[in-house]
Amino acid sequence: IALNLGARYGIPTVAMRYSITQGPRQSFTNPYSGALRIFVQRVLHGRQPMVYEDGQQLRDFVTVWDVARANLLAIDDPRTDYTALNVGGGRAITVLDYAQVVSRALGRPVTPELPGRFRVGDTRHINSDISVLTQLGWRPEHSLEEAAAAYAEWAQAQPGFGDYTDSGLKTMTDQGVVREAH
């Protein structure tokens, strides 16, 4: 709708479609915040990362710094006017591999738990086509390890940082969002 209205009234408009953005300032209390929150909280509190499904689902994670750079490009470059831009990390990895990314970033070995649960509505595989952005000269520059380390540092500096994964799991289970696989 925004793109159509922008074109109709001559207002330069860009639609940004972010993949799974990772980095500091991601809520550590929101049960829906995702893998980075769950993995960092559990690892820093001496627990193993908990992975939904079988861990083989693909995710296209992108750092918050790369998202910010994509936003600046979209604001500054008129070639983006009236386009939709996918902002992703440029490659999809399995959730199990992402647990190892967090492990390396925190310097702690992990063996992820696979409790046989799934989140209703989760897409099995997510991989963003970032070719339009790359044709404009943008590429992801920051590693997922950087994002995980920065998130862990930020979270630990916040008052009340703890392991909220059990309460988050209970909330999502009570709401029917997380279910046991059969």
Side-chain angles (χ1 to χ4, degrees):
I1 293 173
L3 290 174
N4 286 335
L5 287 173
R8 180 177 191 161
Y9 295 106
I11 301 168
T13 308
V14 181
M16 306 295 284
R17 294 187 291 230
Y18 307 118
S19 193
I20 304 166
T21 306
Q22 305 294 286
R25 299 202 166 117
Q26 183 176 347
S27 173
F28 55 83
T29 59
N30 181 338
Y32 301 97
S33 291
L36 181 61
R37 175 193 69 85
I38 292 170
F39 294 173
V40 168
Q41 282 184 0
R42 290 179 66 95
V43 170
L44 289 179
H45 289 91
R47 301 172 73 190
Q48 295 301 316
M50 183 181 59
V51 175
Y52 294 115
E53 298 182 34
D54 61 0
Q56 296 302 313
Q57 58 272 38
L58 295 173
R59 296 290 182 262
D60 183 359
F61 298 103
V62 61
T63 71
V64 66
W65 308 292
D66 289 328
V67 166
R69 286 181 33 261
N71 288 340
L72 291 174
L73 173 71
I75 290 169
D76 292 337
D77 192 328
R79 295 177 296 171
T80 66
D81 291 352
Y82 315 110
T83 62
L85 301 173
N86 295 324
V87 185
R91 68 182 179 99
I93 65 172
T94 69
V95 174
L96 284 174
D97 287 340
Y98 188 61
Q100 296 307 317
V101 166
V102 172
S103 168
R104 288 190 302 274
L106 301 180
R108 300 183 187 189
V110 300
T111 305
E113 294 177 10
L114 296 161
R117 295 184 185 112
F118 69 97
R119 291 192 330 177
V120 174
D122 270 2
T123 303
R124 178 69 177 163
H125 301 303
I126 298 170
N127 191 18
S128 299
D129 177 359
I130 61 171
S131 61
V132 174
L133 273 175
T134 59
Q135 290 168 8
L136 297 171
W138 178 93
R139 284 183 174 53
E141 293 179 354
H142 295 276
S143 73
L144 297 177
E145 286 87 354
E146 287 176 83
Y151 176 77
E153 181 180 336
W154 171 82
Q156 290 177 98
Q158 304 309 304
F161 175 69
D163 183 355
Y164 295 91
T165 57
D166 290 339
S167 62
L169 177 60
K170 181 178 180 341
T171 296
M172 291 191 296
T173 302
D174 290 350
Q175 293 174 352
V177 175
V178 171
R179 298 183 185 165
E180 298 290 327
H182 299 309

